[in-house]
Amino acid sequence: MSTTSSDPLVALGALPGVNDAVDSVRKAVDRVYGHRVMRRRSNEVTAEAALRGARGSAALSGADWNLEEVRRRTDFSGDGEARVVGAALRLTAEAGQLLSIWRQSPLRVLARLHLVAAGSAAPEDAVGRPRLAGEPVDEPLIEAPLPDADEVAGRLDGLSRIILSGSEAPALVTAAVVHGELLALRPFGSHNGLVARTAERIVLIGSGLDPKSICPAEVGHAEQGRAAYVAAFDGYLSGTPDGMAAWITHCGRAAELGVRESTAVCEALQRGAA
């Protein structure tokens, strides 16, 4: 993140195309919140959005399962893909419980998210803390150079300070930066993509943009495809205005596709088909 504003997130919000993306997401969210089903059955929409969001996040981490398989399964302790899907489901369930802590201690929340994601699959002394110098990282989708442990610590501290300062930037911008920065740092030994996308979800919920958590951006990230996700993330890594704008607008499109998914859920509930 390299801008000249005292609030770097506000400066990013002024980049060409970003304001249009922010407006488009806000209008889409307002439309689905105004759906008549939301007045009576919002809890059902929230539950379905969580399931679909977890499926989408797992797909980006290499476990591209059919939605009905995710819905049907109860045991996720088997092979690597099953563990990824299980981790994504656990993270989605945990996200809503951490909003108040996020506002006070983002780093504590990130540690908790990694603990939840890793479960018993990682060594106990490597879970829930940023990696140390020389420790490996398992994140097959992201092949960018890995920052060293000192840089990770410094940038995590900077990200935490930005969040705690209460930026006036739009929620989409903050969520995209949190997501992108965690992908860039890969602060944990595993599950960084899942944690980054869950942190994006927490920002969107906690900001008030999506308080009922019915707009799963993870669905949209998966729908746009892994190649598009990595290409947009390369823009974030570049730190250039065009690259940053491309990443934020990509995240905006993901949120809109998540809205479209939940709108379809609302329509199905209205017809009595779900």
Side-chain angles (χ1 to χ4, degrees), residues 12 39 244:
L12 292 175
R39 293 196 295 271
M244 296 295 289

Side-chain angles (χ1 to χ4, degrees), residues 142-230:
I142 305 301
E143 299 179 351
L146 197 64
D148 65 30
D150 288 341
E151 182 177 352
V152 168
R155 287 172 63 176
L156 280 177
D157 183 65
L159 183 64
S160 177
R161 282 187 277 106
I162 287 173
I163 294 166
L164 293 173
S165 69
S167 174
E168 296 181 0
L172 172 63
V173 174
T174 303
V177 168
V178 167
H179 183 169
E181 191 71 353
L182 292 174
L183 276 186
L185 296 178
R186 282 148 289 161
F188 304 108
S190 63
H191 300 92
N192 289 289
L194 294 176
V195 168
R197 290 183 289 275
T198 304
E200 178 185 48
R201 171 185 282 267
I202 288 172
V203 173
L204 294 175
I205 299 169
S207 67
L209 177 66
D210 181 24
K212 294 183 182 294
S213 191
I214 62 166
C215 307
E218 304 97 320
V219 168
H221 286 303
E223 187 170 331
Q224 293 179 89
R226 297 177 89 193
Y229 183 72
V230 172

Side-chain angles (χ1 to χ4, degrees), residues 236-261:
Y236 181 88
L237 285 178
S238 76
T240 65
D242 286 348
M244 296 295 289
W247 170 248
I248 295 167
T249 55
H250 179 88
C251 291
R253 179 59 179 158
E256 288 191 69
L257 290 170
V259 168
R260 187 177 73 178
E261 188 86 354

Side-chain angles (χ1 to χ4, degrees), residues 87-133:
L89 288 167
R90 292 193 300 273
L91 285 171
T92 302
E94 189 80 5
Q97 310 302 314
L98 297 172
L99 294 176
S100 61
I101 304 172
W102 176 261
R103 298 184 186 104
Q104 300 169 10
S105 180
L107 299 185
R108 181 179 165 196
V109 169
L110 294 176
R112 173 63 183 171
L113 292 177
H114 185 246
L115 179 66
V116 168
S120 60
E124 187 174 341
D125 64 351
V127 173
R129 62 156 176 80
R131 54 187 168 83
L132 304 176

